[in-house]
Amino acid sequence: MPKILQQTGGDVVEVILADHRWFEEALRELRDVEADRAAVLADLATVLVAHAEAEESKVYPSLNKRDAIDDEEVEHSTHEHDEGNEALLALMEVEDTASEEFSEKTHELSEALSHHLDEEERDVLNPAKTDVDADARVKLGEVFAEERARLIDSDCGSIENVRKLVEAAKKKS
């Protein structure tokens, strides 16, 4: 099982990409019938929520202010985080990790997450590389990593918190 990455900072693009690769590995583990799926899911939920929340509170506003991404991209990425949380909650609510339902919900989360990672890497991270100078990206990487760590320590991946996030997103839309 991939251990939770303890991010300390660095170029924000590289820090986010490291999480993206970790998500892909965690999803592979979730599909493995011999893995401790419950443990993998608990770690994935924690890192996924912390990552998304830190992006929304720290990274997207900073990139938007620097004109690397526009309001529409921020809104679109945030919406995709909401969809990911919904798929995550549906998977977390499946009691039997060996069931066909668990496999189906894993597939749904994998589809939502893969789509988002692809778009974010093309439409958010590429402009961050080209439109934001290296020093600013490093400072932003530290701020992102700090917020991500704070959220991980706050048990942000608990099913209760994921439910709250999903409910809050439904009220927004």
Side-chain angles (χ1 to χ4, degrees):
M1 176 170 78
K3 283 182 51 112
I4 290 180
L5 282 174
Q6 296 303 323
Q7 301 277 29
T8 55
D11 185 320
V12 70
V13 172
E14 298 306 318
V15 174
I16 289 173
L17 286 173
D19 271 0
H20 287 187
R21 301 297 76 84
W22 187 91
F23 296 143
E24 291 165 349
E25 180 60 31
L27 288 168
R28 275 192 289 282
E29 289 280 326
L30 278 180
R31 292 188 286 266
D32 181 352
V33 294
E34 294 177 351
D36 182 348
R37 289 171 158 177
V40 173
L41 180 56
D43 285 351
L44 177 60
T46 298
V47 177
L48 192 56
V49 169
H51 175 95
E53 296 288 300
E55 280 183 337
E56 289 178 27
S57 67
K58 304 297 180 188
V59 177
Y60 295 164
S62 178
L63 294 179
N64 184 267
K65 190 172 74 178
R66 297 169 190 279
D67 293 326
I69 59 174
D70 60 21
D71 292 343
E72 190 177 307
E73 194 55 57
V74 171
E75 188 178 314
H76 181 74
S77 293
T78 302
H79 176 71
E80 287 187 346
H81 287 167
D82 294 342
E83 290 175 340
N85 286 339
E86 211 169 302
L88 176 63
L89 179 60
L91 180 58
M92 292 173 86
E93 289 176 337
V94 177
E95 289 182 25
D96 181 2
T97 60
S99 68
E100 184 59 36
E101 183 185 13
F102 189 87
S103 291
E104 288 168 12
K105 298 299 180 191
T106 297
H107 177 73
E108 289 169 18
L109 176 59
S110 181
E111 290 286 308
L113 192 51
S114 295
H115 170 83
H116 174 66
L117 299 182
D118 174 61
E119 281 194 357
E120 186 172 77
E121 288 174 18
R122 285 184 291 115
D123 302 337
V124 175
L125 299 184
N126 279 336
K129 284 184 210 172
T130 58
D131 300 352
V132 178
D133 70 71
D135 288 343
R137 288 196 315 268
V138 168
K139 285 185 184 112
L140 187 53
E142 290 167 6
V143 169
F144 170 80
E146 212 172 89
E147 179 65 3
R148 179 186 174 279
R150 186 190 68 76
L151 288 159
I152 287 171
D153 290 345
S154 75
D155 197 26
C156 65
S158 70
I159 194 165
E160 297 80 16
N161 190 55
V162 175
R163 275 195 187 108
K164 284 181 197 164
L165 294 171
V166 169
E167 286 305 311
K170 285 179 181 174
K171 288 177 184 168
K172 274 193 314 196
S173 58

